[in-house]
């Protein structure tokens, strides 16, 4: 019964992590001599997440892969976990800690890719407004910064990003209000997985679908539907399934003493991908295959 | 009462004018309609809360219920393929039952409303998250329910149907609270439950009804909210909505001690809160200040109200004193006359 | 200013230690006190009487530092007291037993008595010296004749016992003046006697007393001087030799009251309500048997905590009964809630008016109609007109003194508030009425009105049970008297057996021959 | 009172034994120390809340204050380079001042505690987010404050210093609440404020002190929380902590109507809540159920307490009935003797 346990700790409850859950499951299937689980903190806050990890360590977990809520400043807490288990990071890195490796995307790159989508869809320039859950979160900041960098020198401008604290009602109302407040807006960016579907719905309600360029992140079904329909220009998808699947296998190997999978710089970047109209079907099929549904 | 409501209305209009001057787009029909829509959603929730507050109680589980019932509704029709004509009454009934359980715990087992509904707040959110295994409940792309969508998210001559629903509900509830025997009983219970019981009123039953009404209206607005966002992450959906509802009631003149407040007041309170949210976005105020603006305005509103009352009371006192003083000096000759008798 | 003050009193040469000059207080719409002047001598017992709302409590609250006067001066030993607060008032040696009970149910008796004046342990931390506190409380409790101990939680005391705690509290202050604002309003006979002797012993110690009461006989017995207030003005002072019931009444209400021994117009009818072996929560081991007949006023007397209120609460369905049966017109009935009782025409006028009788914040009309709304409404919709009309009828019938039926009930005087409670029930054809201390804190004029109302009801065929701790009242009003002792009916006195002595004997558990 | 506390202790021990049997790692020193650390943090917060609840008030802004004061503290020492020996008293003073303002609004301007602190909840979180422009306040890599860290996050013979702090504070506050005149006044005010005023107690001043104590203890725990997480995202840091604190007090026997509860009770309440959180994580219960478990246990605890009281009252009644009956039959001869006199 005492199989070594590996835990995948996410930063907050969101459908985004369902793919990672599938990845954990697949890895578990291939490695029955480990116990693998994915853990959601009750809230997206440092204190709650830190407590969860400490309890897991008490419960005897051997390896932790974490999407830290606020990696920059969680250094000490993460080091504490890292000193008692094999610690890996995912989703956003914490390079200053004693973590073994980071496996995930580069959020700055993802922002750059969002800029690519915008440039392609609006060769004559335009005015963008962004929407995001937690304005203060690292991944949000990096994506926004990446996009701004990518848009430098073009006639496209990201003028404002509105936050909603992961309240979907506010997320949608923010889009509605933006349409009123900035009649000249020509493009909208949904930085978090649920922002793009809210943009899609608000535009549909306002009869503006197709008139405003939508740049998306992640692969919410509505987002993918909109891309396929042509009303969303394209979306930048991350690969949480791969993070989890490859990550768990890597961690298991590492604990067995096989450190060959860890690169010298400790970074295993699983690139984000732009999914446009033509790629949707293939991508959706692969999602389905991964989740085993 | 009516004066208080007028004051609130005035505040709403003044704020509206100021915002419209700074950004005239505030008055665009589309903006008004969008805001009216949310007034509808939150207004229904707040009226439910008001019924409980009138009895001197409180219902803290509202936000979690919006999440739980929303998740169930979406799951029933989007995943379980239940007809929405069946799912809708089912969810409403569930809301009523939960309200009844709260009322039962409070009136029969004598638990404190704050405690019961605080536990509800925790339990229902947990249940909602467990139900979706911390995932999201939402519709698939292109999944459509035209009738339901018209009712919940549609417009009628440009007026959102949710707002129309609020108006209808407000009128019905106004009659119920201000013109029916039931409403009178609720006020009596809120003012002095024991005296109400000694007058032969079935106080337990009445208080229970208030919680049932709250559960019912919360369920209705949960459905509306679900159809508005069309996707629900139970970890965060509806979080703090109980505070919105309580804040609307307090702004509208309700006392948390019970026995005070009017339906017009709570609706106006909701209008003000939504106007403020709209203003933050329209005037380009940082989103982070959203809550602070709300808190600040409630505090100022309550303070003005309180000061206004205090000043009026003081003025009454001073004028009373002056009156008696003149009477006093007029009368001062009288005893002399009386003595001469 | 008036004739009686012109007569020099024997103590005229002694200097007053406390004098009030031109003290006045105005509330919005009401002049509670016009400019009032009184001197208080050391060791003097002043009886302060007046109708409800005459301003007695207001005057005392000013002395106690609870409210500030608008005008006038207060001199203590010749020095002016300005900005009197509760603390400084206590500091000046003024002790105050408030009319409304001011006890803390979550604290024990000792903590209540010395609240705000706890003996402290040495050291900077203001820690309560609990042993010393207990020692200080014991003699006080003994002095007021309490049977409960210093560490009893106040929550478990009856109203009368709580009043004893209040008195002990006043005695605990090393006072030069003790103010009793209706201390006997819920004290039964024996305890009242003890209080009167306490007052005498205070006087013997050179301590002054102001004694406010609507029980004029008590005033008559202890007062050295009676001060009469009417509508906030001092209308007369009676020196010791002039003190008499009728003189006081005349000054209070401006006329002499006709004797109020209205006799029943009819002989009692059949048994309306019968308690058969009813057991209450306070005395579950003591079954009560009692019959009340139509057309009679059955008095219910007894000592403090003898279980009368508890019995009334069971009969009215507020408390559950712990055994036995209640029969109406010979048939057993189930009274599970006040609503059941009300539906059967059994009504209760409760002891604690402000808590159980009325809604202070409601207009008079809404209080009057509260129990009868279903009848005054059509399809559960209120009819403001019918409500108003019904309330107005009752207001005129009972002579409730108020500008209109939309006046807030809380602004009425005690007597008029009590009439509002009566009006609530009278509008809906009572069969059995239970009055629990119906005239508690009510002035003599209003008292008489309530007595005649009760008699009129009985004459109209209503069965009446009147719980009262006022000996005069029980004997004067009742047709028969049941006396309770420790939870049981110790005996029932028929009309010809009624006397003060027989009631007292039964009340303390002795048998009347 | 003491019996109630014993019941709670029993519950804590039983739950502990069950968990230890299922997963013996529960008893590992490291796990106990981790849990004790959090008990320290939340316990201090809850004791502060308890002081306010005793007066019949409530302090809803606690969670937001933990965020705001935490942000300021970290910013002062990590960014502004203030000495922590200066920043610490400064933050404590700020907490006290905020408490005093709440107390002032409540006692002098007669606003309802629920309303004042609800506005606080909204305003302080907004302020915290605005201060960091919705970013995070945290220490840079390698930024160390050894003394401060020892005090706030260190251990002494394996016992977390935060827990030691809690014990010291609890003892001091116990003396204050249960043995001093001040505590007695607070109980009196909670039960009947007007009567307390009539007894010469300066009620306004006392209630204000309760809010100041709450502000002070909240500030202290805000610093501890900040040093525990070492990073603060003001949008979510401390969210719902007011509910934790209130729940601990309610579990510990406090009544939200005021005038009831003990320090031992609130500390035990905190212990139980943290034990439950620990249990959810240790037994591999889905985290989504964390809240639900908490809500469920509070509800069950309150219910048992209520039922237990009801049953005890009933039993007392029955035994009283038996006693008086025997006494009665013994006495029945007495009156005869008396008559013979
Ligand atoms: N807080 C208040 N606000 C307004 N009016 C008041 C207030 N307190 C007392 N009054 C009014 O002042 C007048 C005097 O009241 P007070 O309580 O002194 O009468 P009282 O002589 O003690 O009567 P009772 O015998 O009923 O106790 C009454 O008309 C009363 O209604
Ligand atoms: N809340 C209570 N808790 C415990 N005992 C109580 C309570 N209230 C009353 N009692 C007790 O019940 C007994 C009967 O009280 P009850 O009030 O019925 O007496 P009563 O004859 O009406 O006297 P009173 O003159 O006080 O109204 C007393 O012994 C009293 O101490
Ligand atoms: O961290 C997640 C982010 O990467 C995704 O884009 O949106 C949801 C968040 O929880
Ligand atoms: Mg009086
Ligand atoms: Mg009684």
């Amino acid at each position: 019964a005492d199989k070594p346990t590996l835990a995948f700790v996410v930063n907050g409850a969101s459908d985004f992590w369902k793919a990672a859950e599938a990845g954990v499951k697949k890895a578990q299937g291939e490695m029955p001599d480990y116990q693998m689980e994915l853990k959601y903190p009750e809230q997206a806050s440092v204190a709650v997440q830190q407590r969860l990890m400490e309890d897991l360590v008490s419960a005897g977990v051997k390896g932790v892969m974490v999407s830290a809520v606020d990696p920059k400043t969680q250094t000490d807490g993460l080091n504490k976990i890292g000193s008692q288990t094999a610690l890996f990071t995912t989703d956003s890195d914490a390079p200053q800690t004693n973590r073994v490796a980071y496996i995930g995307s580069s959020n700055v790159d993802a922002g750059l890719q969002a800029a690519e989508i915008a440039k392609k869809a609006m060769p004559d320039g335009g005015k963008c407004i962004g929407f995001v859950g937690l304005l203060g979160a690292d991944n949000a900041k990096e994506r926004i910064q990446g996009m701004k960098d990518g848009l430098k020198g073009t006639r496209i401008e990201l003028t404002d990003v509105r936050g909603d604290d992961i309240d979907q009602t506010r997320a949608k109302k923010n889009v509605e209000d933006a349409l009123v407040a900035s009649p000249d807006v020509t493009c909208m960016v949904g930085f978090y997985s649920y922002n793009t579907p809210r943009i899609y719905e608000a535009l549909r309600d306002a009869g503006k679908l197709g008139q405003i360029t939508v740049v998306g992140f992640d692969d919410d079904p509505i987002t993918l539907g909109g891309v396929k329909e042509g009303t969303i220009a394209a979306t930048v998808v991350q690969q949480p399934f791969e993070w989890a699947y490859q990550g768990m296998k890597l961690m298991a190997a590492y604990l067995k003493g096989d450190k060959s999978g860890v690169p010298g710089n400790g970074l295993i970047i699983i690139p984000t991908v732009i999914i446009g109209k033509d790629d949707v079907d293939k991508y959706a099929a692969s999602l389905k295959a991964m989740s085993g549904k | 009462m009516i004066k208080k409501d007028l004051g609130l209305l005035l505040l709403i209009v003044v704020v509206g004018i100021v915002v419209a001057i700074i950004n005239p787009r505030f008055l665009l029909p589309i903006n008004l309609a969008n805001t009216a829509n949310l007034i509808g959603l939150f207004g229904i929730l707040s009226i439910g809360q008001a019924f409980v507050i009138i009895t001197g109680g409180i219902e803290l589980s509202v936000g979690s219920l919006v999440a739980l019932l929303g998740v169930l509704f979406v799951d029933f029709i989007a995943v379980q393929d239940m007809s929405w004509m069946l799912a809708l009454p089912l969810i409403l009934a569930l809301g009523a039952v939960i309200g009844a359980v709260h009322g039962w715990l409070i009136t029969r087992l004598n638990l404190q409303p704050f405690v019961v509904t605080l536990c509800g707040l925790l339990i229902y959110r947990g249940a909602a998250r467990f139900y979706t295994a911390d995932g999201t409940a939402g519709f698939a792309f292109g999944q459509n329910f035209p009738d339901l969508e018209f009712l919940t998210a549609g417009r009628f001559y440009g007026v959102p149907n949710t707002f129309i629903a609020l108006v209808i509900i407000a009128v019905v509830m106004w009659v119920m609270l201000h013109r029916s025997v039931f409403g009178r009983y609720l006020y009596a219970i809120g003012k002095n439950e024991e005296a109400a019981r000694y007058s032969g009123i079935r106080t337990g039953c009445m208080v229970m009804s208030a919680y049932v009404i709250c559960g019912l209206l919360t369920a209705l607005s949960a459905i509306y909210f679900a159809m508005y966002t069309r996707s629900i992450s139970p970890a965060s959906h509806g979080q703090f909505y109980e505070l919105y509802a309580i804040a609307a009631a307090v702004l509208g003149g309700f006392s948390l001690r019970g026995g005070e407040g009017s339906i017009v007041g709570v609706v106006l309170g909701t209008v003000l809160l939504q106007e403020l949210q709209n203003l933050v976005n329209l005037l380009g105020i940082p989103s982070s200040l959203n809550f602070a603006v709300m808190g600040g305005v409630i505090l100022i509103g309550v303070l003005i109200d309180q000061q206004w009352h205090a000043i009026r009371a003081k003025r009454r006192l001073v004028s009373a004193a002056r009156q008696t003083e003149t009477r006093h000096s007029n009368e001062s000759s009288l005893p002399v006359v009386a003595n001469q008798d | 200013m008036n004739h009686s003050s012109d007569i020099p009193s024997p103590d005229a040469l002694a200097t007053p230690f406390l004098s009030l000059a031109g003290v006045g207080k105005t509330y919005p719409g009401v002049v509670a006190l016009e400019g009032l002047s009184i001197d208080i001598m050391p060791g003097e017992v002043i009886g302060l009487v007046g109708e409800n709302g005459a301003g007695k409590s207001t005057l005392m609250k000013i002395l106690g530092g609870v409210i500030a006067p608008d005008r006038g001066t207060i001199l203590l030993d010749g020095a002016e007291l300005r900005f009197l607060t509760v603390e400084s008032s206590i500091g000046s040696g003024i002790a105050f037993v408030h009319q409304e009970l001011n006890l803390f149910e979550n604290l024990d008796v000792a903590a209540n008595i010395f609240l705000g004046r706890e003996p402290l342990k040495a050291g900077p931390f203001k820690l309560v010296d609990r042993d010393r506190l207990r020692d200080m409380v014991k003699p006080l409790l003994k002095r007021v004749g309490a049977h409960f101990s210093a560490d009893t939680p106040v929550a478990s005391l009856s109203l009368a016992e709580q009043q004893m705690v209040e008195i002990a509290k006043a005695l605990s202050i090393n006072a030069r003046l003790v103010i009793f604002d209706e201390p006997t309003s819920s004290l039964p006979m024996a305890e009242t006697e003890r209080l009167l002797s306490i007052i005498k012993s205070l006087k013997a110690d050179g301590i002054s007393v102001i004694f406010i009461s609507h029980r004029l006989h008590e005033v008559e017995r202890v007062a050295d001087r009676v001060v009469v207030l009417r509508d906030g003005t001092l209308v007369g002072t009676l020196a010791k030799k002039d003190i008499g019931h009728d003189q006081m009444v005349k000054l209070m209400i401006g006329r002499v009251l006709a004797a109020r021994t209205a006799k029943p117009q009819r002989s009692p009818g059949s048994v309306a309500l019968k308690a058969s072996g009813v057991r209450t929560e306070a005395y579950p081991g003591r079954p009560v048997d009692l019959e009340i007949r139509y057309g009679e006023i059955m008095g219910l007397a007894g000592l403090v905590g003898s279980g009368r209120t508890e019995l009334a609460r069971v009969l009215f369905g507020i408390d559950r009964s712990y055994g036995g049966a209640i029969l109406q017109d010979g048939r057993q009935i189930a009274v599970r809630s006040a609503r059941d009782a009300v539906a059967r025409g059994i009504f209760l006028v409760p002891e604690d008016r402000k808590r159980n009788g009325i809604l202070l914040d409601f207009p008079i009309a809404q209080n009057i109609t509260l129990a009868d709304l279903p009848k005054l409404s059509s399809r559960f919709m209120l009819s403001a007109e019918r409500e108003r009309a019904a309330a107005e009828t009752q207001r005129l019938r009972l002579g409730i003194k108020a500008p209109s039926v939309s006046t807030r009930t809380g602004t009425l005087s005690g007597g008029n508030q009590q009439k509002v409670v009566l009006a609530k029930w009278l509008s809906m054809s009572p069969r059995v009425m239970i009055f629990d201390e119906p005239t508690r804190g009510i002035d003599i004029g209003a008292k008489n009105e309530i007595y005649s109302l009760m008699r009129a009801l009985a004459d109209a065929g209503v069965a009446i049970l009147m719980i009262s701790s006022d000996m005069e009242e029980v004997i004067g009003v009742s047709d028969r008297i049941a006396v309770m002792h420790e939870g049981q009916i110790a005996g029932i006195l028929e009309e010809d057996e009624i006397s003060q002595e027989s009631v007292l004997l039964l009340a303390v558990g002795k048998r009347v021959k």
Side-chain angles (χ1 to χ4, degrees), chain B residues 225-276:
Chain B
F225 275 113
M227 295 307 293
Y228 179 64
T229 65
R230 297 180 65 87
S231 137
I232 299 170
S233 330
S236 58
H237 186 78
Q239 219 167 43
F240 288 120
Y241 284 10
E242 57 280 352
L243 294 189
Y244 282 82
I246 295 169
V250 167
L251 262 179
F254 280 74
S255 159
L256 292 168
R257 295 180 197 112
E260 259 164 52
S262 75
I263 292 289
V264 175
V266 65
V267 171
L268 289 178
T270 310
V271 172
L272 180 59
L273 287 183
Q274 289 309 318
E275 186 181 33
L276 290 176

Side-chain angles (χ1 to χ4, degrees), chain C residues 67 91 133 185 202 212 293 433 488:
Chain C
I67 54 175
L133 179 61
S185 63
L202 288 174
I212 302 177
R293 288 174 293 186
M433 291 269 306
Q488 254 179 340

Side-chain angles (χ1 to χ4, degrees), chain B residues 69 87-97 215-221 223:
Chain B
L69 296 177
L88 195 137
L90 202 69
I91 291 295
L92 292 184
L94 195 58
V97 167
L216 209 60
L217 292 183
T218 303
L220 183 62
S221 74
I223 292 172

Side-chain angles (χ1 to χ4, degrees), chain C residues 52-53 56-58 99 181-182 212 214:
Chain C
N52 288 126
K56 307 179 294 292
S57 297
T58 303
Q99 178 170 10
D181 195 351
E182 298 196 38
I212 302 177
H214 288 295

Side-chain angles (χ1 to χ4, degrees), chain B residues 33-333:
Chain B
N34 285 342
T35 306
N37 180 37
L38 285 175
I39 290 173
L41 299 185
F42 282 103
I44 294 172
L45 207 61
S46 304
I47 290 179
Q49 181 75 244
F51 267 81
V52 166
I53 292 182
I54 240 347
T55 68
I58 197 158
E59 177 54 274
L60 294 175
S61 70
V62 156
S64 299
L65 264 185
V66 165
L68 177 60
L69 296 177
V71 161
L72 291 179
F73 183 70
V74 169
D75 187 65
F76 286 174
I77 67 172
V79 182
Q80 320 279 345
D81 277 334
M82 189 187 280
S83 149
W84 70 264
M85 308 258 251
L86 183 62
L88 195 137
L90 202 69
I91 291 295
L92 292 184
L94 195 58
V97 167
I98 290 177
V101 170
H102 290 189
W104 183 78
L105 287 169
I106 290 163
T107 59
R108 291 279 174 275
L109 297 191
N110 275 318
L111 301 184
Q112 296 182 48
F114 195 100
V115 176
V116 169
T117 59
L118 174 63
C119 292
L121 178 154
L122 298 168
I123 293 173
Y124 304 139
R125 187 159 301 279
R129 296 177 63 164
F130 188 68
Y131 190 86
T132 61
D134 259 331
T136 310
F139 297 104
F141 182 76
Q143 216 179 4
N144 278 326
F145 305 86
D147 297 343
L148 177 64
E149 274 158 25
F150 174 72
L151 282 177
T152 53
R155 315 222 152 158
F156 184 76
Y157 287 106
V159 182
N161 286 339
T162 47
F163 187 75
I164 296 175
L166 170 66
V167 171
I168 295 171
I169 288 173
V171 169
V172 171
M173 292 300 157
W174 183 86
V175 171
M176 203 141 160
L177 196 59
H178 299 294
R179 286 292 175 267
S180 88
V181 173
F182 172 63
R184 173 71 58 79
Y185 285 172
L186 288 188
Y187 277 100
I189 290 169
K191 275 287 176 214
N192 184 342
E193 172 158 5
E194 250 186 290
R197 191 148 45 92
Y198 272 77
S199 296
I201 297 173
R202 274 185 294 193
T203 53
C205 191
M206 299 296 142
V207 170
M208 199 122 122
S209 311
Y211 282 89
V212 170
I213 289 177
C214 182
L216 209 60
L217 292 183
T218 303
L220 183 62
S221 74
I223 292 172
Y224 282 148
F225 275 113
M227 295 307 293
Y228 179 64
T229 65
R230 297 180 65 87
S231 137
I232 299 170
S233 330
S236 58
H237 186 78
Q239 219 167 43
F240 288 120
Y241 284 10
E242 57 280 352
L243 294 189
Y244 282 82
I246 295 169
V250 167
L251 262 179
F254 280 74
S255 159
L256 292 168
R257 295 180 197 112
E260 259 164 52
S262 75
I263 292 289
V264 175
V266 65
V267 171
L268 289 178
T270 310
V271 172
L272 180 59
L273 287 183
Q274 289 309 318
E275 186 181 33
L276 290 176
Q277 305 252 25
N278 188 225
L279 160 173
V280 169
N281 278 333
L282 277 187
L283 301 189
I285 298 173
S287 320
S288 57
L289 279 182
N290 194 321
F291 275 143
V293 169
M294 207 162 109
V297 170
I298 299 176
L299 190 61
I300 292 169
V302 174
L303 266 175
I304 290 179
D305 181 60
Q306 200 279 338
Q307 287 308 93
W308 191 64
H309 270 281
I311 288 169
R312 265 209 328 178
K314 207 171 181 180
R315 194 169 302 161
R316 253 200 328 232
L317 214 67
V318 170
S319 83
R322 200 168 305 135
Q323 265 178 26
T324 46
E325 240 146 57
T326 56
R327 185 160 70 109
H328 210 202
S329 59
N330 289 345
E331 275 176 6
S332 60
S333 52

Side-chain angles (χ1 to χ4, degrees), chain A:
Chain A
D2 263 9
K3 285 189 281 191
T5 306
L6 306 180
F8 191 109
V9 177
V10 307
N11 60 357
S14 151
D15 252 9
F16 175 76
W17 293 111
K18 287 288 151 190
E21 234 178 310
V24 171
K25 214 184 235 159
K26 186 169 174 202
Q28 170 81 83
E30 292 174 13
M31 280 175 294
D33 45 344
Y34 280 93
Q35 171 77 29
M36 299 181 182
E37 50 194 27
L38 184 136
K39 287 282 181 187
Y40 293 96
E42 306 91 73
Q43 277 176 279
S45 89
V46 174
V48 172
Q49 191 183 48
Q50 189 64 35
R51 193 243 154 120
L52 176 61
M53 288 191 291
E54 282 177 9
D55 283 347
L56 288 174
V57 171
S58 297
V61 164
K62 292 279 176 281
V64 172
M65 173 157 297
V66 61
S67 159
V69 172
D70 190 25
K72 265 207 209 77
T73 55
Q74 253 175 298
T75 318
D76 280 5
L78 291 174
N79 280 340
K80 201 169 140 200
I81 304 299
S83 63
Q84 299 169 60
T85 63
L87 179 71
F88 290 70
T89 52
T90 183
D91 197 17
S92 36
D93 194 12
Q96 316 275 36
T97 63
N98 57 8
R99 59 110 174 100
V100 179
Y102 168 72
I103 181 163
S105 9
S106 154
N107 280 307
V108 178
D109 288 352
L112 287 170
Q113 283 172 323
E116 289 311 311
I117 299 173
K119 282 194 270 191
K120 199 169 151 205
M122 296 178 293
D124 304 333
K127 182 180 164 191
C128 295
I129 292 186
F131 302 92
V132 71
L134 305 170
L135 270 168
D138 265 354
N139 54 5
K141 283 198 209 151
E142 287 170 16
R143 286 175 204 179
I144 294 166
Q145 198 48 53
M147 184 161 186
K148 281 191 174 154
D149 290 349
L151 292 177
K152 257 184 210 137
T154 69
R155 282 165 46 220
I156 308 173
E157 200 193 350
L158 181 62
T159 54
D160 193 8
V161 181
R162 308 298 298 176
D164 55 52
D165 299 332
I166 318 196
D167 176 341
Q168 313 263 337
T169 306
R170 265 175 77 196
K172 189 169 172 188
K173 187 62 164 51
N174 279 350
V175 181
E176 292 176 351
D177 284 350
L179 284 173
V180 173
S182 323
D184 52 342
V185 66
T186 54
C187 130
M188 292 186 159
V189 189
F191 282 105
Y192 268 14
S193 54
Y194 64 88
N195 285 115
T196 312
R198 295 295 87 72
I199 295 172
Y200 176 87
E201 279 149 12
L203 289 181
R204 194 188 55 188
D205 292 354
K208 295 228 163 125
L209 220 46
Q211 297 169 27
I212 285 181
T213 305
V214 179
V215 179
F217 275 83
D218 297 323
D219 51 10
D220 186 282
I222 306 286
T223 308
L224 294 183
V227 172
K228 188 171 179 194
E229 194 182 65
T231 47
I232 293 174
T235 183
V236 182
V237 300
Q238 312 186 77
Q239 309 208 37
F241 178 89
E242 293 300 329
W243 305 347
Y245 174 60
Q246 295 185 24
M248 288 319 235
K249 283 178 72 165
L250 180 68
M251 198 148 57
Y254 182 85
L255 282 172
K256 280 188 182 140
D258 171 10
K259 308 200 169 160
S260 62
V262 181
N265 65 356
L267 294 180
I268 304 164
I269 300 297
I270 297 182
T272 47
V273 187
I274 298 180
I275 302 292
K277 194 169 176 164
D278 304 331
D279 322 311
V280 175
D281 286 333
K282 217 173 94 202
Y283 181 75
S286 72
L287 266 187
K288 221 177 200 167
M290 281 188 292
S291 66
K293 272 183 197 158

